[in-house]
Amino acid sequence: MRAIELVNLSVYYGPVRGVEDVSLYVDDGEIVALLGANGAGKSTLLKAISGIVGTKRGSIKYFGENFAKTSAHQRVIRGLVHVPEGRRIFTALTVRENLELGIYSAKLKHGQRTERFDEVLEMFPILKEHATRLAGMLSGGEQQVLAIARGMMSKPRVLMIDEPSLGLDPQKVDIVYDLLEAVAATGTTVLLVEQNVNLALEIATRAYVLQQGSVALSGDSSTLASDPRLSAAYLGAESD
Amino acid sequence: MTLLMSEILNGLFLGAFFGLVAVGYSLVYGILRLINFAHGDFFMVAAFVAYTILGSSIVGHGHMVWFTVAWVGLLVMVATGLLAVLANRLVYHPMRRAALLSLMIAALGLSQVLENGVLNIPGWGSAYLTFPVTSPPNGFTVLQTNFSWFQLIIVLIAGFLSLGVYLLVGRTLIGKAMRAVSEDRIAAVLMGINVDLVIAVVFFIGGALAGAAAVMTGVYYGQINYLMGWTVGLEAFTAAVLGGIGNIGGAVLGGVVLGIAQSVGTGWFGAEWAIVVTFVALVLLLWLRPTGILGERVARRM
Amino acid sequence: MAAKLPKGGVILAFIAVAALVPQFTNNQYYLSVGYQTEMLICLALGLNIVVGYAGLLDLGFAAFFAIGAYTTAVLSVNHHWSIIATIVPGVLIAVVCAVIIGLPTLRLRSDYLAVVTLGFGEIIQTIANNMSMTGGPTGIYGIPTLTISHIVIQTPVAFYYVLLVLLLLFVLISLRVRHSRIGRAWLCIREDEDAAQAMGIKIHRYKLYAYMGGAVMGSLTGSLYAPALSAISPPSFGFSESLLILMALAIGGMGSVSGAILGGMIVVILPEAFRQFAQTRLLVFGLVLIIVMMTRPRGLLPENAFRGFRWPFRRRVAPLDGAVIPMVATASSPSASSEEDDR
Amino acid sequence: MFRNSKSMRFATSGLLVTGLVALSISFQAGGVASAASKSNFVIGVPLPMTGAEASAGTEIFNAMKLAASKINSQGGVAGHKIVLNEQDSACDATTAVNAANLLVSAHVNAIAGEYCSSAALPEQPIFSRAGIPVVFAAANSPALLTGHFKNTFLTLASGSGDAAEAAAFFKQDLKETKIAIIDDQSAYGTAIADAMSADLRSNGLTLAGGAIQAVPATQTDFSSVIAAVKSSGATGIFWTGYYAQAALLVKQLAAAGVKATFVGSEAAIDATFITGAGSAGIGTYATEFVSPSGKAINLFNAHYRKAFKSAPGPYSSYGYDAIQILARAGNAAKSIQPSKIIAALRKTNFVGVTGRIKFSPVGARLGMPEEVLVVKNGQYVKNSVQPKL
């Protein structure tokens, strides 16, 4: 079953090209990584899939359903959750309130909400002691964990996560990636955008490499890892 | 000394009105960063709607009248809320990508449209209209100052409504969604929050509060006019800034502080200088505390 | 510079046409509407320095207009000064007021500054209304005519030309200052205050300059407008007047001289054009205001000298990519694409 | 991509401006053309039709329409039909100047109207330069008579008579000695308040609190002023402002338990006051010019009610008389020429709905005795005791 399938997708910011003619798919239960240099269009692609930027051409299918006319918040309700770059947690709200907003759209009774809240805290124990603090007071790594935890509150079918390692020290990065593996282990499909190739290929089953808005390479993680064109794609884009 | 105390008590009463309208101002500002100059005119339109409905539905005397006032009040709150939602849908929503100044000018245009719309409606027009129901004068005396029971009821209703909104924003899920939208609209969308709906709810609440204030104004003061919204709007806006705009508790507090400042200032310098006292106090306060009394949350964001 | 030529052309054409108007009509009414338009354009150009160039939202600009008009009226009626001589004290008082109100408040963010300037406008109007020196609510009447050496300016035509000269002066100043060192500093502050400060621009000082510049222009206009009106009273200098000036600028286009000219024409001429509809004309005016702002939110003749122009008081946006903001809504998901603009 | 195209922008803006100018010219030119037909007696009517005083303007204009149609049905003025050319002055100096210039450009034969003195003052020199007779219907600031304009006549005597009457009433009949003056900060109210302050002194009465209390005309809550009045120990209150605020003030005074006797100026008299103040208004007083022919005013009120389905405003009758004054002057001069009408206006002497109308050499209304009214059974009646001046 294809969780996400993009066919010839193009996104433009006014006259500026974001991505052009991208086709890719993510199967149910997979971890797929989107790789590429800065400005290659990875984040744009995620934003197009989650619906916060409009597309110019092409189609987005989510479990076979066409998403062209579905508004961004509706996509979340269908189980497609996007943890954006820079975490974007609500700093003026408490950790608990942030998590509660993660199941905003779910039609749950109060008891069920608390239950889910406890489940997620079990999964992300770092947050436990901070539940009543303002999210803005957390450290960077804790904020990233909160962002993922917030995304997991609604038990998404697909979790898209953008640059989870950005700005974190290696130790925190390990924690975050362990969590991601734990998330995937619950059966959640993960679409991961990452600049750090080695990190991403370690947990992903497959990967796509974007270069200047188009797919340059794709394949299994293990084959890609040894492909010399991979580093060329990075270096090529960087030397531009 | 008793004069000062009675001025403070009067100021508290005035502040209840300011605060109620200011909460609406503050809510909309908090979520859209828009100084909604038309907000005072929602209040004005509400007073006229209440005037018309009450005029045609008052039957009987005594308690029956107050029962009618109560349900008309609720009806007008809903109607004004819907008016605000409609204004948002027709004017502000299509402009959500425009610069704030453009939005502000559009709000001024809307204010003109509402005022002059009422001016041109037969039966409303430019005259000072006498409200069909007026509050009975009997009451009680505190510190040699007479208050009517109705004034007490107004303060209680205003306090009750403000507290309701405060709890709604602070405790409920939709309230949390409002705060989320106010802080980061994109992230809110990614939580599955229907931002347009949240904004509509905010306009509805703001409008409904203005509607409640309008009915109480009509019944208490007994007189309405098509320009009544402008002054109230200006005072409410000042109160909202004074308390720290975007902050519900701040709006109520700002209203009370403004009411007291006006009342006491009038006592010292004469009513003709009331507005000068108000604004000098505002400048001093902003100088010492540039974000208003309770404005920290906004300050950090800016 | 080439890109600016068409605009210069528009301004020149306007001035030329404006100068010729009295040759075609001596209708007193048209001429009086004419000089009121010029007056409002002058005020809009003054406000343009404050709001359009430096990005400071001012909701009480009519205060400086009032200061000029009242200084001239008081000195000429009560103390028999000649009108020309009253201009200097008017300007001085305006500048002093600008500094007094500006020093403590110009460090505030725009919304707070807006309410403080609004308050300043109300204060000036209240003072005019309450002092016996300013004639209280009746105001001051019998303001003598303007005499420049031996020429007596009394007829609408004469005032029309006097205000046209002032307008021309303001246009030249606005265009010159825009590309001067100080003008560039203002634009930097408007675009990004923090960055401007990081670049070593003394932002408070330059903000104060802008505020003072606007005050001088507002006061000058007031001094010359008082004799044209012959009687002034507080209601003409209230919040609604301040808003009218701001509207002119917003409709025409912030930061743009040709925009101020066009906007001034619209806000004066439009309500006059709908005079026949007495009670409905302001309704129409309000509708026009909304429609213009909805269809052309940057005004009819926006400033376009800069690519990547950033509007003052836009929401403080941090787009996800830090990249370009979508200008054109594209095919799919209209509700979705619109969200990009906000944080 | 239209948005970024410079030519499009110029084109649309250019079109808009051209359209506006064309609109304005066609509208105003239409007005000019119709007014210029010389067979009519065209009376220019500058009145506030928008803004805060719009209701007063409408009420005055309605009465003028009544007068004009009545005179026209009786054969017009020296054979010419009266045509009213109404222009909104909005009680704002700038708008008023435009209205005045528009009327002058339309070559009207005379002016009747204007409610606010602040609008009348800048209009005056414009009408004077054009040599058009002006009968101000309700604006009555003394300042209007100091400019030595030979063409100005006031239908309404300046408000100082109200103050003199009220002061005498407080002293002789009410025997109150400590009087508070509350002023609404309008041009009208302030003038009367100042006059009252002087009249209190000359009558040996005290101004309670030592100063005039002023409230902005937009104020609806008077609690702080009432607190001041209460603490000053005033036993009488003189209100110089208008009826709408008067109703609020009286109600709030009653609610605050202030027992001082309330006397309003003539501007406080209106049906809205009686309904608005309710029980608090009963027994309050107001001073007014005597209308000797009670019958005429009653007839006028009845006509007005029939024609407009509402009660006339406090100044409607003055608007009615302003038109009558001009019509009689035209008939006396047998001409509708402005200069001849001005000459005839000086000799005005007849009884209108507001009483006998005569003018002083500077154009002030003469001989308007005052009387004190009291609110009884839902209407104004002449008080049983009247002070001797």
Side-chain angles (χ1 to χ4, degrees):
Chain A
M1 184 80 192
R2 296 276 149 93
I4 293 174
E5 183 165 19
L6 310 181
V7 181
N8 298 333
L9 193 75
S10 299
V11 177
Y12 275 72
Y13 295 118
V16 181
R17 185 177 71 178
V19 295
E20 178 88 53
D21 255 349
V22 170
S23 298
L24 58 78
Y25 67 90
V26 180
D27 275 333
D28 197 8
E30 262 191 316
I31 303 185
V32 172
L34 273 178
L35 307 173
N38 219 350
K42 301 167 301 215
S43 296
T44 302
L45 209 53
L46 287 202
K47 282 187 254 174
I49 298 170
S50 64
I52 53 179
V53 300
T55 55
K56 190 174 181 179
R57 275 189 303 274
S59 68
I60 302 172
K61 281 203 172 127
Y62 176 72
F63 290 100
E65 181 189 359
N66 193 347
F67 256 14
K69 292 260 180 321
T70 313
S71 64
H73 67 91
Q74 275 297 336
R75 299 184 195 195
V76 180
I77 295 169
R78 305 283 172 79
L80 175 65
V81 167
H82 176 184
V83 179
E85 186 182 0
R87 300 150 202 144
R88 305 186 82 157
I89 51 158
F90 303 111
T91 54
L93 273 63
T94 64
V95 168
R96 193 190 171 107
E97 286 173 332
N98 266 280
L99 291 175
E100 282 176 67
L101 284 173
I103 34 169
Y104 177 79
S105 49
K107 304 257 175 303
L108 294 180
K109 295 218 174 63
H110 184 73
Q112 289 170 302
R113 280 178 194 281
T114 336
E115 205 173 285
R116 181 68 192 147
F117 181 71
D118 292 337
E119 277 172 33
V120 169
L121 281 192
E122 272 324 305
M123 205 168 160
F124 302 89
I126 303 181
L127 300 175
K128 242 181 190 168
E129 53 191 299
H130 299 310
T132 54
R133 286 179 70 186
L134 282 183
M137 313 293 258
L138 300 183
S139 73
E142 289 163 345
Q143 291 192 355
Q144 184 64 63
V145 171
L146 174 58
I148 298 173
R150 189 176 65 174
M152 287 305 293
M153 279 296 284
S154 60
K155 295 187 185 163
R157 296 178 79 177
V158 177
L159 184 75
M160 302 193 291
I161 180 158
D162 198 346
E163 304 275 13
S165 69
L166 200 72
L168 300 183
D169 61 54
Q171 209 183 346
K172 296 278 165 50
V173 171
D174 284 347
I175 297 175
V176 169
Y177 268 81
D178 287 348
L179 275 176
L180 276 182
E181 285 194 290
V183 165
T186 62
T188 310
T189 310
V190 176
L191 179 56
L192 171 71
V193 160
E194 186 55 84
Q195 253 186 315
N196 188 330
V197 182
N198 297 333
L199 257 177
L201 292 182
E202 226 168 79
I203 65 165
T205 43
R206 289 188 305 116
Y208 291 85
V209 181
L210 289 182
Q211 197 177 359
Q212 292 178 12
S214 302
V215 176
L217 279 176
S218 61
D220 286 346
S221 299
S222 45
T223 38
L224 268 180
S226 53
D227 194 324
R229 288 176 299 171
L230 178 62
S231 57
Y234 270 81
L235 294 174
E238 271 165 15
S239 66
D240 256 14
Chain B
M1 204 55 217
T2 48
L3 182 62
L4 182 68
M5 280 313 292
S6 80
E7 274 161 356
I8 288 175
L9 284 176
N10 281 323
L12 274 173
F13 168 66
L14 268 183
F17 274 113
F18 293 159
L20 209 49
V21 185
V23 168
Y25 242 114
S26 213
L27 272 178
V28 169
Y29 179 88
I31 214 151
L32 287 185
R33 300 289 175 277
L34 164 71
I35 303 175
N36 182 13
F37 281 110
H39 191 70
D41 292 306
F42 296 156
F43 167 85
M44 178 272 297
V45 173
F48 276 85
V49 172
Y51 166 85
T52 301
I53 302 180
L54 277 175
S56 62
S57 58
I58 280 292
V59 277
H61 293 284
H63 297 302
M64 276 312 287
V65 173
W66 295 106
F67 178 70
T68 315
V69 169
W71 72 255
V72 170
L74 286 175
L75 191 69
V76 169
M77 279 176 75
V78 173
T80 321
L82 292 179
L83 173 73
V85 170
L86 190 71
N88 171 52
R89 191 75 199 82
L90 293 181
V91 180
Y92 303 138
H93 182 73
M95 289 187 70
R96 76 218 121 131
R97 295 166 70 195
L100 272 182
L101 188 68
S102 319
L103 259 172
M104 227 173 74
I105 302 288
L108 286 170
L110 182 61
S111 154
Q112 287 286 320
V113 168
L114 289 175
E115 279 174 19
N116 290 285
V118 168
L119 175 67
N120 282 290
I121 289 175
W124 288 2
S126 60
Y128 287 89
L129 299 177
T130 303
F131 225 61
V133 187
T134 47
S135 62
N138 44 339
F140 55 97
T141 307
V142 188
L143 293 164
Q144 300 172 23
T145 311
N146 291 32
F147 287 95
S148 68
W149 292 113
F150 193 71
Q151 274 175 298
L152 185 69
I153 291 172
I154 287 177
V155 173
L156 289 178
I157 292 177
F160 176 73
L161 288 176
S162 307
L163 184 70
V165 174
Y166 184 77
L167 291 178
L168 181 89
V169 173
R171 301 282 168 82
T172 65
L173 196 59
I174 182 91
K176 285 163 198 164
M178 285 176 197
R179 284 185 284 150
V181 172
S182 146
E183 181 173 339
D184 187 336
R185 208 184 283 194
I186 301 272
V189 171
L190 293 179
M191 297 295 102
I193 294 171
N194 185 345
V195 172
D196 293 340
L197 185 70
V198 170
I199 292 175
V201 169
V202 163
F203 269 95
F204 183 84
I205 295 171
L209 292 185
V215 176
M216 294 194 294
T217 302
V219 174
Y220 178 68
Y221 292 110
Q223 200 176 69
I224 60 172
N225 175 263
Y226 83 109
L227 291 172
M228 68 193 277
W230 191 236
T231 332
V232 171
L234 217 57
E235 270 155 354
F237 172 48
T238 314
V241 172
L242 200 63
I245 194 160
N247 183 314
I248 306 304
V252 176
L253 189 64
V256 170
V257 170
L258 184 73
I260 293 174
Q262 278 204 353
S263 183
V264 174
T266 304
W268 283 347
F269 303 100
E272 68 266 44
W273 296 105
I275 197 152
V276 176
V277 173
T278 307
F279 279 109
V280 168
L282 181 73
V283 170
L284 287 179
L285 184 110
L286 288 180
W287 192 27
L288 297 171
R289 219 183 139 70
T291 53
I293 303 172
L294 295 180
E296 275 149 318
R297 201 167 64 85
V298 182
R300 199 172 51 225
R301 240 194 343 262
M302 293 168 81
Chain C
M1 287 301 279
K4 291 205 311 294
L5 271 179
K7 286 228 160 153
V10 168
I11 297 169
L12 275 181
F14 165 78
I15 304 272
V17 171
L20 286 176
V21 163
Q23 306 303 317
F24 295 117
T25 176
N26 56 359
N27 182 306
Q28 206 168 320
Y29 168 67
Y30 293 157
L31 290 173
S32 77
V33 173
Y35 69 67
Q36 276 158 24
T37 310
E38 290 165 350
M39 182 259 321
L40 204 87
I41 295 172
C42 286
L43 292 173
L45 286 170
L47 184 64
N48 187 39
I49 302 271
V50 184
V51 192
Y53 287 178
L56 306 165
L57 183 49
D58 187 339
L59 292 181
F61 192 71
F64 298 116
F65 181 45
I67 288 172
Y70 265 98
T71 310
T72 293
V74 169
L75 290 179
S76 64
V77 174
N78 299 349
H79 303 280
H80 309 293
W81 289 35
S82 80
I83 299 287
I84 292 290
T86 64
I87 290 176
V88 177
V91 165
L92 285 178
I93 295 174
V95 168
V96 169
C97 285
V99 173
I100 291 176
I101 196 78
L103 272 181
T105 55
L106 283 176
R107 65 199 176 97
L108 299 174
R109 289 285 184 188
S110 61
D111 310 307
Y112 294 89
L113 186 64
V115 77
V116 170
T117 51
L118 185 157
F120 174 59
E122 296 288 309
I123 288 173
I124 293 292
Q125 195 194 11
T126 307
I127 290 175
N129 205 39
N130 290 344
M131 305 274 285
S132 57
M133 188 179 75
T134 55
T138 314
I140 300 181
Y141 50 91
I143 299 165
T145 52
L146 172 63
T147 28
I148 301 167
S149 67
H150 293 291
I151 310 160
V152 181
I153 311 287
Q154 190 173 21
T155 58
V157 191
F159 276 115
Y160 182 89
Y161 278 116
V162 168
L163 282 159
L164 187 62
V165 170
L166 186 73
L167 169 65
L168 197 60
L169 182 74
F170 283 5
V171 167
L172 289 177
I173 292 174
S174 299
L175 291 176
R176 288 290 296 184
V177 93
R178 168 78 170 65
H179 297 281
S180 69
R181 202 181 125 76
I182 185 170
R184 286 194 300 271
W186 284 336
L187 294 195
C188 282
I189 293 171
R190 181 189 74 188
E191 300 299 307
D192 190 334
E193 203 170 306
D194 300 330
Q197 193 156 28
M199 279 157 62
I201 296 172
K202 295 193 167 54
I203 56 169
H204 293 144
R205 182 186 295 179
Y206 279 99
K207 279 182 173 182
L208 200 58
Y209 289 163
Y211 208 54
M212 285 158 70
V216 169
M217 287 163 85
S219 170
L220 260 175
T221 313
S223 287
L224 289 179
Y225 191 58
L229 219 51
S230 93
I232 57 171
S233 56
S236 310
F237 303 97
F239 185 44
S240 42
E241 184 73 15
S242 297
L243 287 183
L244 202 67
I245 306 167
L246 189 65
M247 273 180 206
L249 211 49
I251 293 176
M254 279 290 163
S256 130
V257 170
S258 48
I261 292 175
L262 181 68
M265 290 173 69
I266 290 174
V267 298
V268 177
I269 295 174
L270 196 61
E272 284 297 324
F274 289 106
R275 229 174 211 290
Q276 251 58 11
F277 306 103
Q279 289 205 333
T280 45
R281 70 197 171 112
L282 293 177
L283 183 68
V284 175
F285 183 58
L287 281 174
V288 169
L289 213 55
I290 295 177
I291 291 166
V292 170
M293 284 299 110
M294 281 173 78
T295 53
R296 307 190 66 87
R298 285 178 52 191
L300 296 169
L301 290 177
E303 177 189 42
N304 63 354
F306 270 114
R307 286 301 293 157
F309 167 85
R310 273 188 48 202
W311 196 246
F313 332 116
R314 67 174 305 133
R315 284 159 236 190
R316 298 183 76 77
V317 173
L320 288 175
D321 274 352
V324 194
I325 289 160
M327 299 270 292
V328 183
T330 41
S332 81
S333 182
S335 79
S337 66
S338 60
E339 302 296 344
E340 177 61 14
D341 217 11
D342 313 299
R343 299 184 57 109
Chain D
M1 286 281 92
F2 271 176
R3 249 159 219 278
N4 294 335
S5 148
K6 222 174 281 169
S7 54
M8 261 318 280
R9 192 153 53 223
F10 286 131
T12 48
S13 312
L15 269 177
L16 189 85
V17 174
T18 323
L20 283 179
V21 171
L23 259 179
S24 108
I25 287 172
S26 59
F27 282 141
Q28 308 319 341
V32 172
S34 70
S37 58
K38 271 293 166 190
S39 62
N40 288 334
F41 181 36
V42 184
I43 301 179
V45 182
L47 276 173
M49 304 304 279
T50 58
E53 309 300 340
S55 64
T58 313
E59 288 161 358
I60 295 172
F61 187 55
N62 282 344
M64 288 180 160
K65 286 194 283 197
L66 270 188
S69 72
K70 187 176 170 229
I71 292 163
N72 283 341
S73 72
Q74 292 168 350
V77 178
H80 302 275
K81 239 181 96 189
I82 295 182
V83 172
L84 300 179
N85 182 350
E86 189 276 329
Q87 291 300 337
D88 179 23
S89 66
C91 271
D92 163 69
T94 307
T95 316
V97 163
N98 284 341
N101 277 312
L102 186 55
L103 291 172
V104 168
S105 303
H107 302 290
V108 298
N109 304 82
I111 300 290
E114 207 43 89
Y115 173 74
C116 293
S117 298
S118 56
L121 282 165
E123 286 171 2
Q124 218 180 1
I126 296 170
F127 293 138
S128 173
R129 268 200 297 276
I132 307 174
V134 180
V135 178
F136 284 123
N140 68 339
S141 164
L144 287 168
L145 299 174
T146 54
H148 310 294
F149 295 116
K150 302 278 179 253
N151 62 335
T152 306
F153 300 87
L154 303 189
T155 322
L156 190 57
S158 83
S160 53
D162 277 342
E165 180 80 3
F169 182 60
F170 275 122
K171 186 182 178 185
Q172 298 170 17
D173 304 320
L174 297 174
K175 313 262 190 284
E176 307 288 8
T177 54
K178 218 169 176 193
I179 314 299
I181 304 175
I182 309 179
D183 146 35
D184 73 340
Q185 287 200 290
S186 65
Y188 175 82
T190 310
I192 301 181
D194 289 340
M196 182 65 172
S197 174
D199 287 332
L200 286 183
R201 255 195 315 274
S202 62
N203 279 290
L205 306 174
T206 354
L207 174 57
I212 296 170
Q213 299 283 335
V215 286
T218 51
Q219 191 117 332
T220 50
D221 193 288
F222 300 93
S223 47
S224 49
V225 167
I226 290 169
V229 167
K230 217 174 167 183
S231 75
S232 75
T235 51
I237 293 168
F238 183 57
W239 163 252
T240 72
Y242 290 86
Y243 56 90
Q245 273 184 310
L248 297 177
L249 176 60
V250 163
K251 261 185 72 178
Q252 292 173 32
L253 280 168
V258 176
K259 300 276 186 287
T261 315
F262 183 90
V263 177
S265 75
E266 187 223 359
I269 297 176
D270 189 82
T272 312
F273 173 80
I274 296 180
T275 53
S279 60
I282 296 168
T284 60
Y285 300 92
T287 58
E288 200 200 26
F289 301 116
V290 180
S291 40
S293 52
K295 222 168 151 188
I297 189 88
N298 289 342
L299 206 62
F300 163 77
N301 286 345
H303 272 201
Y304 188 102
R305 263 178 221 278
K306 203 175 147 212
F308 303 105
K309 311 271 177 287
S310 64
Y315 298 101
S316 294
S317 52
Y318 294 94
Y320 190 89
D321 271 357
I323 298 294
Q324 284 212 75
I325 291 166
L326 283 171
R328 277 172 189 264
N331 279 330
K334 296 197 175 53
S335 163
I336 54 170
Q337 279 231 309
S339 56
K340 292 188 176 147
I341 291 177
I342 294 176
L345 277 170
R346 299 201 179 288
K347 300 187 198 103
T348 300
N349 185 355
F350 73 99
V351 179
V353 295
T354 62
R356 179 157 296 281
I357 301 171
K358 279 163 94 175
F359 293 115
S360 78
V362 291
R365 173 107 182 239
L366 285 179
M368 289 188 74
E370 299 258 347
E371 64 185 357
V372 176
L373 303 182
V374 63
V375 177
K376 234 182 212 169
N377 301 327
Q379 53 185 341
Y380 288 102
V381 294
K382 194 172 166 178
N383 192 36
S384 51
V385 194
Q386 295 286 336
K388 291 177 196 68
L389 278 179

